[in-house]
């Protein structure tokens, strides 16, 4: 049974703070993804990684960075949080060459 | 890049009726089309997918059809039940390597008992 876990379910941060969101998967998946989900906008890809230390920009990378030092862990970093980054953040993982993505439970981030 | 349009944004049906959700995509190189279901407060989960070498795929009460020429694909749910109530997302991918997905904006389906 695939498990994707995220470090927090709810997070409240102040404008300008540096924010770390962590995602861990236990299925030895090569690919990991970070999305943000906003009402009426669906899921939008922020960054993804296909291997340790490798990363690719998604559709909305501005204001975010990522880190993947170990295969099972993928971190999303907000260097200086802003109110327009208030959102639900979803992590996902998948096996290389396979389409199905397994999602984490999400982190609802509020920036005040 | 790829653009996926999904319609309708909301859909209400009576229990037992059928529901159809439609998506169009822009990149003719896309060849993998999954559908995800997200129940309230839960994570999205894959319910069915189709590849471009197939025109239709069924799994019990759900089916997906693909028209490559028109670049659109649809989700069909028959004999709807209250537990089908959720937000459904379509997506498209070029199906290579990391299978990066571009999602539609979602359809909120409500099944009225």
């Amino acid at each position: 049974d695939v498990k994707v876990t995220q470090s927090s379910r709810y997070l409240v941060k102040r404008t300008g703070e540096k924010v770390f969101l962590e995602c861990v998967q236990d299925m030895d998946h090569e690919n990991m993804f970070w999305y943000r989900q906003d009402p009426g906008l669906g899921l939008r890809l922020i960054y993804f990684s296909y291997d340790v230390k490798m990363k690719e920009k998604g559709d909305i990378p501005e204001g975010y960075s990522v880190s993947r030092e170990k295969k099972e862990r993928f971190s999303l970093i907000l260097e200086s949080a802003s109110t327009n980054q208030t959102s639900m953040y979803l992590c996902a993982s998948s096996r290389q060459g396979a389409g199905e993505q397994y999602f984490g439970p999400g982190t609802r981030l509020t920036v005040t | 890049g790829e653009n996926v349009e999904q319609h309708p944004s909301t859909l209400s049906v009576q229990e037992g009726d059928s529901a159809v959700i439609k998506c169009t995509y822009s990149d003719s190189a896309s060849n993998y089309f999954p559908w995800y279901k997200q129940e309230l407060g839960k994570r999205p989960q894959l319910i069915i997918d189709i590849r471009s070498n197939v025109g239709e795929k069924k799994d019990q009460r759900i089916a997906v059809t693909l028209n490559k020429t028109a670049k659109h694909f649809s989700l069909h749910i028959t004999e709807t039940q209250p537990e089908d109530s959720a937000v459904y997302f379509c997506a498209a991918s070029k199906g290579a390597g990391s299978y990066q997905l571009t999602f539609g904006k979602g359809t909120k389906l409500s099944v009225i008992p």
Side-chain angles (χ1 to χ4, degrees):
Chain A
D1 195 24
V2 177
K3 279 191 179 173
V4 181
T5 58
Q6 295 183 226
S7 50
S8 306
R9 291 300 304 270
Y10 300 93
L11 207 53
V12 180
K13 295 291 182 181
R14 292 193 180 275
T15 302
E17 281 193 86
K18 191 169 186 176
V19 182
F20 293 87
L21 303 181
E22 292 210 318
C23 175
V24 177
Q25 50 93 6
D26 67 355
M27 283 301 293
D28 202 36
H29 284 172
E30 292 82 5
N31 304 318
M32 297 188 75
F33 308 83
W34 275 107
Y35 296 90
R36 65 176 282 175
Q37 182 174 19
D38 300 288
L41 296 180
L43 289 86
R44 293 180 292 165
L45 181 65
I46 304 171
Y47 268 97
F48 68 99
S49 168
Y50 53 89
D51 200 353
V52 175
K53 296 192 186 295
M54 306 304 290
K55 60 186 179 184
E56 294 280 347
K57 292 181 180 179
D59 299 318
I60 51 165
E62 298 79 16
Y64 303 93
S65 62
V66 290
S67 172
R68 193 168 181 200
E69 297 296 319
K70 293 185 177 182
K71 191 175 185 180
E72 68 271 18
R73 190 179 299 267
F74 192 33
S75 301
L76 180 69
I77 303 154
L78 288 67
E79 295 288 342
S80 178
S82 63
T83 55
N84 62 12
Q85 293 179 310
T86 291
S87 186
M88 170 68 82
Y89 290 88
L90 288 164
C91 172
S93 72
S94 71
R95 187 168 47 85
Q96 188 70 3
E100 182 170 6
Q101 293 187 13
Y102 296 85
F103 284 84
T107 295
R108 184 165 295 282
L109 173 67
T110 302
V111 182
T112 62
Chain B
E2 175 67 276
N3 183 48
V4 177
E5 299 281 343
Q6 182 172 347
H7 298 280
S9 56
T10 60
L11 180 60
S12 291
V13 299
Q14 290 291 136
E15 182 177 356
D17 287 351
S18 295
V20 180
I21 303 170
K22 298 182 179 181
C23 290
T24 61
Y25 61 99
S26 61
D27 191 339
S28 57
S30 290
N31 59 12
Y32 173 69
F33 307 93
W35 286 87
Y36 284 79
K37 175 184 180 181
Q38 186 177 28
E39 297 177 20
L40 188 63
K42 297 192 175 180
R43 65 192 80 188
Q45 290 191 302
L46 179 74
I47 55 170
I48 195 167
D49 56 13
I50 191 168
R51 298 182 187 275
S52 59
N53 58 347
V54 175
E56 184 176 5
K57 185 177 179 180
K58 287 184 180 180
D59 183 3
Q60 299 182 347
R61 295 187 298 107
I62 60 173
V64 57
T65 58
L66 171 64
N67 183 326
K68 284 177 58 180
T69 304
K71 289 191 281 189
H72 68 71
F73 56 111
S74 300
L75 178 71
H76 304 252
I77 306 174
T78 59
E79 301 173 14
T80 53
Q81 300 169 3
E83 51 265 38
D84 295 328
S85 296
V87 178
Y88 292 81
F89 294 98
C90 64
S93 170
K94 292 179 186 170
S98 61
Y99 275 78
Q100 179 184 342
L101 295 177
T102 300
F103 283 88
K105 293 181 178 179
T107 296
K108 183 177 181 181
L109 173 65
S110 299
V111 179
I112 304 162

